[in-house]
Amino acid sequence: MVALSSAPTAEVPRLRVRSGVDLVAVSDVDNALTQFGQRYLDKLFTAHEIASCQGSAQTVAEGLAARFAAKEAAMKVLRPCDVAVDWRSVEVRRSPDGICTLEFSGEAARLAEEAGIVDVSVALSHEGDLATAFVVALCMPESAKPVASLAPVATEMGD
Amino acid sequence: MEQQIREILAAYGRLGVDVDALDVNTDLYLNGMTSHASVNVMIGLEEAFDIEFPSEMLRKANFASIGAIQAALSELVPNSLAG
């Protein structure tokens, strides 16, 4: 049995945690693809994300719905308030073995740096007509936010 | 313009209320519009008005009410104030 101490030691940084979750109806994404086609894809998804979602219409819609959920979950972590953030500046990267990571660019990267995010993790899932994503970020303490730019990347489960 | 906005909201907004009964300042997100639905509304507006929302206008607040949408469109649609 491992005893957990509530008193952090000097060696353990007191990182803050931010989390975000979102749920998207796969049929909504499928309908949007039918109604708006490429314009819809170009607004929301990077070329890598589109390339990662291949197969039947249902499979494509499931993958894209999970990725949109990841973007929205990430927004809950980044907390942009009234700042405009391009959806494509939050990108789900999928490795050949199915591991998904989250990468920020542009305004999303700026917000991540402002929040002191040093690590971020994403998990995607879908079942039936629902797709979901969960994002967790570790942030430096307010008094110790990094001043250099960072490239928040972390691994998690594939979709 | 306001009537066109209402028609697009009715088509794509997935609101749980009668769009025609909404006040221009009513919060659409509080009346059922999801983030994904707001994207559909945005693209529907782009197609209806032959415009494109620049990335700096992709703020949630710009799609939060009929009035907010109208204000955003007024920056993009020529002579929109007359409509």
Side-chain angles (χ1 to χ4, degrees), chain A residues 65-82:
Chain A
R67 281 157 180 77
F68 185 82
K71 293 167 190 286
E72 283 297 306
M75 294 298 178
K76 291 169 183 173
V77 166
L78 296 173
R79 303 174 187 173
C81 297
D82 201 29

Side-chain angles (χ1 to χ4, degrees), chain A residues 13-31:
Chain A
R14 302 177 68 175
L15 297 174
R16 295 170 295 123
V17 176
R18 287 188 182 186
S19 63
V21 65
D22 197 62
L23 192 62
V24 174
V26 174
S27 55
D28 284 354
V29 172
D30 192 40
N31 289 338

Side-chain angles (χ1 to χ4, degrees), chain A residues 94-134:
Chain A
R94 187 178 190 275
S95 68
D97 57 2
I99 301 297
C100 286
T101 62
L102 207 57
E103 291 189 6
F104 299 142
S105 62
E107 188 65 17
R110 191 195 67 75
L111 288 167
E113 184 169 356
E114 186 178 276
I117 292 175
V118 293
D119 204 354
V120 63
S121 180
V122 63
L124 313 178
S125 188
H126 53 78
E127 173 65 33
D129 193 44
L130 294 175
T132 188
F134 184 55

Side-chain angles (χ1 to χ4, degrees), chain B residues 35-79:
Chain B
S35 296
H36 189 265
S38 73
V39 172
N40 288 345
V41 168
M42 178 189 68
I43 300 175
L45 291 165
E46 288 186 339
E47 294 196 342
F49 291 96
D50 193 24
I51 56 161
E52 182 161 6
F53 283 96
S55 56
E56 61 267 23
M57 292 186 76
L58 301 180
R59 293 192 298 271
K60 198 172 180 180
N62 280 338
F63 302 92
S65 69
I66 293 169
I69 293 171
Q70 197 161 3
L73 285 176
S74 70
E75 298 182 30
L76 303 172
V77 181
N79 304 318

Side-chain angles (χ1 to χ4, degrees), chain A residues 1 14 26 29 38-39 48 58 62 66 81 88 115 141:
Chain A
M1 184 173 178
R14 302 177 68 175
V26 174
V29 172
Q38 194 63 42
R39 190 168 196 161
H48 172 82
Q58 177 69 16
E62 288 169 349
C81 297
R88 293 164 299 181

